[in-house]
Amino acid sequence: MRPGQRGVSLGLLMLASQIFQVGINNIPPVTLAVLGLNIYLFLVPQKKLLNVCISVQNAYVHKDWQRLLLSPFHHADDWHLYFNMVSMLWKGLRLEKRLGSLWFGYVIAVFSLLTGVVYILLEIVLAELTEDQSYKMQCAVGFSGVLFALKVVNNHYFPGGVTNVMGFPVANKYACWAELVLIHVLSPGTSFVGHLAGILVGLMYTKGPLKTIMKICAGLFSPNGYSGGQRYYYNSSGYSGYRGQNQSRPYGNNNSAQAYGHPSWYDTYTGGLSEEEQYEAALRASVHQRGPGCEE
């Protein structure tokens, strides 16, 4: 094993199990590519985390802008990778089908870059408002900011429903805010500002001008103009093992897997836990295992 490489760990094995349970052929191409890139960079990191994490000091002051591209795709440990990629898997299954692979890939690229920009701006504002320059030194790494943005987009395209957050039913449109606070309370080492940046980017897309700007840019650079109406369709076997959807059912009941388009084995495999409930359980475990560090 080369220096800097990481061995296979429990979190990585659990992630592999999730992916193979879904079936690689059932994962849309952009979602699969994002999973593969994050896993590869975790197993064979090209740089140390301190050289890819993003902060005002290292990105803005020292003009190390490559961190905007690198920081989302690196993770602090196997649990950090596992929960981010499981969340990416489920969001990708829904959103890539809804948006089309080309547009979904475009969204991922823009969100990955923009969450870092918004993170830097928020840290600068906090440093000025509080007169505490330590905010400019806080370094974040991980895909969580992008996932919070995708959660906002997901709730926009699939409105309604309820998410179970620590045993309390929360309307999906408010779930990202509840999780923002919850994750920071359960795991203080995570980047509250990084997650907040993701929510703001998601709102810029769903409520603000970002989507329109992206369409204009896509039209400028595409010889055939904007083609956001294109959709990625799965192979001829379709959703192998999937059942029908009923968007009106609350998330977390006995039929939550089927109601939200998850595979029929989903409840059995996860013990009936929703994505958020898995995340809560993992946070409890990882809080005791993860050393000090900075992450999104």
Side-chain angles (χ1 to χ4, degrees):
M1 182 180 296
R2 297 203 314 264
Q5 285 185 317
R6 309 190 197 195
V8 176
S9 53
L10 179 59
L12 200 60
L13 290 173
M14 290 175 63
L15 175 57
S17 179
Q18 287 270 20
I19 291 172
F20 285 108
Q21 285 279 349
V22 173
I24 291 179
N25 290 336
N26 288 324
I27 302 176
V30 173
T31 301
L32 187 60
V34 172
L35 294 174
L37 177 61
N38 279 274
I39 293 171
Y40 174 77
L41 290 176
F42 178 78
L43 288 174
V44 190
Q46 304 303 301
K47 295 186 177 184
K48 295 181 179 179
L49 286 180
L50 287 177
N51 294 327
V52 298
C53 66
I54 187 172
S55 70
V56 175
Q57 183 71 19
N58 56 38
Y60 179 72
V61 176
H62 295 302
K63 310 300 180 185
D64 189 2
W65 297 115
Q66 66 174 337
R67 291 174 183 258
L68 288 172
L69 300 175
L70 297 175
S71 60
F73 301 101
H74 290 77
H75 291 83
D77 57 37
D78 60 314
W79 289 111
H80 189 205
L81 176 74
Y82 168 70
F83 292 111
N84 277 354
M85 291 302 100
V86 167
S87 181
M88 176 63 203
L89 175 61
W90 298 123
K91 290 177 176 64
L93 285 172
R94 301 190 77 197
L95 285 174
E96 187 165 346
K97 181 185 179 185
R98 174 64 176 78
L99 300 177
S101 290
L102 289 177
W103 186 259
F104 185 64
Y106 186 24
V107 166
I108 292 291
V110 172
F111 282 12
S112 297
L113 181 65
L114 198 54
T115 51
V117 173
V118 174
Y119 172 80
I120 290 174
L121 292 175
L122 288 175
E123 293 283 23
I124 291 174
V125 170
L126 283 172
E128 295 302 319
L129 290 177
T130 63
E131 297 183 352
D132 183 356
Q133 298 305 304
S134 67
Y135 282 106
K136 296 183 178 181
M137 308 295 291
Q138 293 180 5
C139 211
V141 65
F143 207 68
S144 304
V146 180
L147 292 171
F148 268 86
L150 291 177
K151 181 178 286 290
V152 174
V153 174
N154 183 71
N155 291 339
H156 172 75
Y157 284 114
F158 302 98
V162 175
T163 293
N164 189 313
V165 179
M166 286 297 289
F168 296 97
V170 178
N172 277 339
K173 63 181 179 179
Y174 303 121
C176 59
W177 297 104
E179 290 169 22
L180 174 68
V181 175
L182 173 68
I183 292 173
H184 187 64
V185 170
L186 290 179
S187 187
T190 58
S191 174
F192 180 88
V193 176
H195 296 162
L196 176 60
I199 293 177
L200 294 179
V201 169
L203 291 174
M204 289 167 60
Y205 182 89
T206 58
K207 306 292 185 181
L210 179 58
K211 183 178 180 181
T212 300
I213 294 171
M214 289 173 62
K215 286 182 178 180
I216 294 172
C217 293
L220 290 176
F221 291 101
S222 172
N224 298 320
Y226 168 64
S227 57
Q230 295 178 351
R231 296 286 181 267
Y232 171 84
Y233 293 97
Y234 294 100
N235 58 32
S236 59
S237 62
Y239 280 93
S240 176
Y242 282 47
R243 297 185 183 177
Q245 297 183 13
N246 181 351
Q247 300 298 340
S248 63
R249 296 181 184 178
Y251 202 32
N253 64 12
N254 291 335
N255 296 319
S256 61
Q258 290 80 8
Y260 276 75
H262 295 309
S264 58
W265 43 259
Y266 181 75
D267 271 345
T268 302
Y269 181 67
T270 63
L273 298 179
S274 69
E275 174 191 322
E276 284 74 18
E277 290 168 326
Q278 290 182 72
Y279 201 73
E280 293 167 15
L283 280 171
R284 296 190 193 101
S286 61
V287 163
H288 300 291
Q289 298 178 28
R290 186 176 303 158
C294 49
E295 61 187 70
E296 288 185 19

